[in-house]
Amino acid sequence: MIPSIFLVFNNYSKLKNETFAREGFLWFQPTSSSAIGLIGTLLLIVLVLSIMPKILFGWTHGRKPLTGFILSLFVLTVAFLFITWNDYQAIHEEEGIVVSTWWGKQQAVDWASVDSVEITPYVLKRVANKYSREPIFAWRFEFKQSNGDQVSFKRTDLSTYNLEQSQRVKEQIQKENIPLLIGQMDEATTKWYELELELENLNPEHFNEFFKN
């Protein structure tokens, strides 16, 4: 059951991509803010942890109170995913930054309104508990606008696909003649970066080229 929950969650994100992505999209992010993504992740984690005792000790464990809590949480999670269905942000080749919020507001930040972009590699730390994983290498694009606002896009795993997607965005930024700064990795970030490259058996040459100014 637990693998099925994670599978449904992953397929939900893929379905949003397939539904809203259109020609010219260089990058699609299934939420318009990190808060919405965090809430969805926390609901999923709590739901999984609530079901664990039922799996380990039988469905009668915890009796009606636990069963009622699980069913209520399941309904809440489904409702949250339904409400935030239209919530996403994307990078479009011609239109620039496209943002659609869950309450129906849509806007586009054209390339001319972007003052500068910063690519920041960093280590995404996990909460220290027995369910957490090791820290992971991540990077984000920060688009800083002339009015002081900024929009961020994140990637949390090293893969050839994510590199190619990030490279297309980087090339578009350079094509638009927007100042681009790539942050330098500190010792801890470099450690996890090199470790993940090794674990995923990835060629470091292309990744190293991307993270250079």
Side-chain angles (χ1 to χ4, degrees):
M1 178 176 287
I2 292 177
S4 298
I5 294 175
F6 282 106
L7 182 61
V8 168
F9 192 78
N10 287 333
N11 286 339
Y12 171 82
S13 298
K14 291 179 180 179
L15 183 59
K16 285 185 72 169
N17 192 342
E18 294 171 357
T19 301
F20 296 108
R22 61 179 187 270
E23 186 177 357
F25 271 4
L26 302 173
W27 187 303
F28 181 88
Q29 192 162 285
T31 59
S32 66
S33 72
S34 57
I36 292 178
L38 179 61
I39 292 172
T41 301
L42 289 177
L43 285 172
L44 180 66
I45 291 174
V46 174
L47 179 61
V48 169
L49 293 180
S50 300
I51 295 174
M52 280 294 293
K54 295 284 190 180
I55 294 176
L56 294 174
F57 306 112
W59 188 251
T60 57
H61 179 80
R63 301 181 182 276
K64 290 185 178 180
L66 180 57
T67 302
F69 176 76
I70 292 173
L71 293 176
S72 298
L73 186 59
F74 177 78
V75 172
L76 177 62
T77 302
V78 171
F80 177 81
L81 296 179
F82 176 78
I83 292 172
T84 59
W85 171 251
N86 291 312
D87 188 275
Y88 68 88
Q89 64 184 33
I91 302 173
H92 192 275
E93 185 176 6
E94 297 179 356
E95 299 174 23
I97 311 301
V98 179
V99 180
S100 174
T101 61
W102 63 271
W103 61 86
K105 181 181 179 182
Q106 296 189 13
Q107 64 177 10
V109 180
D110 58 45
W111 290 112
S113 299
V114 179
D115 268 2
S116 63
V117 181
E118 184 172 354
I119 301 175
T120 306
Y122 64 103
V123 174
L124 180 61
K125 296 181 179 180
R126 304 288 185 171
V127 178
N129 60 55
K130 63 181 180 179
Y131 300 108
S132 67
R133 295 184 294 173
E134 294 285 351
I136 59 174
F137 176 81
W139 67 98
R140 63 176 172 266
F141 283 83
E142 294 176 299
F143 293 82
K144 300 178 182 180
Q145 303 171 45
S146 53
N147 62 3
D149 293 340
Q150 68 178 44
V151 182
S152 297
F153 291 80
K154 301 177 182 178
R155 276 293 175 264
T156 56
D157 62 313
L158 284 173
S159 68
T160 301
Y161 174 80
N162 283 341
L163 173 66
E164 291 174 348
Q165 187 181 54
S166 296
Q167 183 62 38
R168 287 196 295 270
V169 174
K170 182 180 179 182
E171 291 172 355
Q172 185 64 37
I173 294 168
Q174 294 169 332
K175 180 180 177 180
E176 299 292 337
N177 294 317
I178 299 172
L180 174 64
L181 175 66
I182 302 178
Q184 298 298 309
M185 299 185 201
D186 58 22
E187 184 176 347
T189 305
T190 301
K191 170 188 172 183
W192 289 106
Y193 169 69
E194 293 177 346
L195 177 62
E196 289 194 31
L197 285 175
E198 182 179 352
L199 291 175
E200 298 298 329
N201 195 29
L202 296 168
N203 184 347
E205 181 180 350
H206 302 298
F207 290 87
N208 291 340
E209 184 64 29
F210 172 78
F211 287 109
K212 288 182 180 179
N213 279 297

